[in-house]
Amino acid sequence: MADSDRKLWDCAPLERVGPLRFGMSVEEATGAMLACGFTSDPASELGKSGPFKQLRTRFRAVDAPFHRTDVVAYYVGPMGLTCIAVDALTGPQVTLEGMRLVGRPPSELSDELAAYLESTNRRVEITPGGDIGSQELGIMPCAQRAGDRLLTRLVLGRPNDWANTMSDCIPADEMLGRY
């Protein structure tokens, strides 16, 4: 999807992405997304994360085919919304201080994100998938296949009492990649 056809969201690291705020309940997130033109199927249970039930909600634009997923929200028990993934092909374009984070060649985003992190005195980190990310900002871009190319799928999270790192708060199906 061309950037001009995507919804435009900004993010406040560790706080919110577009209308989604970390800590929201499934019902709050569903209501916020519906107000922005996204619908979803009922939340599905992924299993347990420690003693807590883990849920997932898949959102798509109201007029999109039922099989499409633009944004995925993950929830853990009483912590509510803990992780958000934005699809590289059809999800909203998310920006951080003007930097486009979604649907870009991974090498371009890695270069720009590394420069941003260095200029703001933050650590440059390598994600498990080999991309540049930031624990401090809760940002973990992942490569997603787009035909013969790779584009950035954005995964954002907020570690808290139950997850010490970004890798701990991201569900396994997001960590496996989109190849």
Side-chain angles (χ1 to χ4, degrees):
M1 182 179 288
D3 276 347
S4 60
D5 296 331
R6 295 176 186 256
K7 298 254 185 200
L8 182 60
W9 289 358
D10 66 335
C11 69
L14 306 174
E15 292 179 29
R16 67 169 180 76
V17 181
L20 296 172
R21 293 190 169 283
F22 291 107
M24 284 179 144
S25 67
V26 171
E27 296 77 20
E28 290 169 328
T30 301
M33 290 293 280
L34 188 56
C36 290
F38 290 86
T39 189
S40 71
D41 295 329
S44 58
E45 187 172 335
L46 295 177
K48 293 220 176 209
S49 182
F52 303 115
K53 188 185 304 184
Q54 189 173 39
L55 302 173
R56 172 182 58 208
T57 308
R58 296 175 188 225
F59 294 99
R60 67 183 179 282
V62 171
D63 58 352
F66 74 92
H67 61 274
R68 188 169 103 183
T69 301
D70 300 328
V71 177
V72 184
Y74 297 94
Y75 315 82
V76 175
M79 277 71 70
L81 181 61
T82 57
C83 181
I84 301 163
V86 181
D87 188 78
L89 305 176
T90 62
Q93 180 54 259
V94 179
T95 61
L96 172 65
E97 295 190 28
M99 181 181 4
R100 290 180 23 248
L101 303 173
V102 176
R104 297 181 63 187
S107 60
E108 287 179 14
L109 178 59
S110 288
D111 290 346
E112 191 172 352
L113 185 55
Y116 173 80
L117 293 169
E118 289 171 353
S119 73
T120 57
N121 296 315
R122 292 184 172 99
R123 280 186 11 183
V124 175
E125 299 174 37
I126 306 297
T127 69
D131 298 298
I132 299 295
S134 172
Q135 295 282 329
E136 292 174 82
L137 298 177
I139 294 175
M140 186 180 288
C142 301
Q144 179 180 333
R145 191 168 185 80
D148 290 336
R149 299 179 3 193
L150 293 177
L151 297 176
T152 53
R153 174 183 181 84
L154 185 61
V155 180
L156 302 110
R158 184 176 71 181
N160 52 31
D161 294 341
W162 68 277
N164 295 321
T165 68
M166 275 292 293
S167 296
D168 294 337
C169 75
I170 296 173
D173 58 336
E174 286 300 330
M175 295 298 287
L176 296 174
R178 300 283 179 216
Y179 297 104

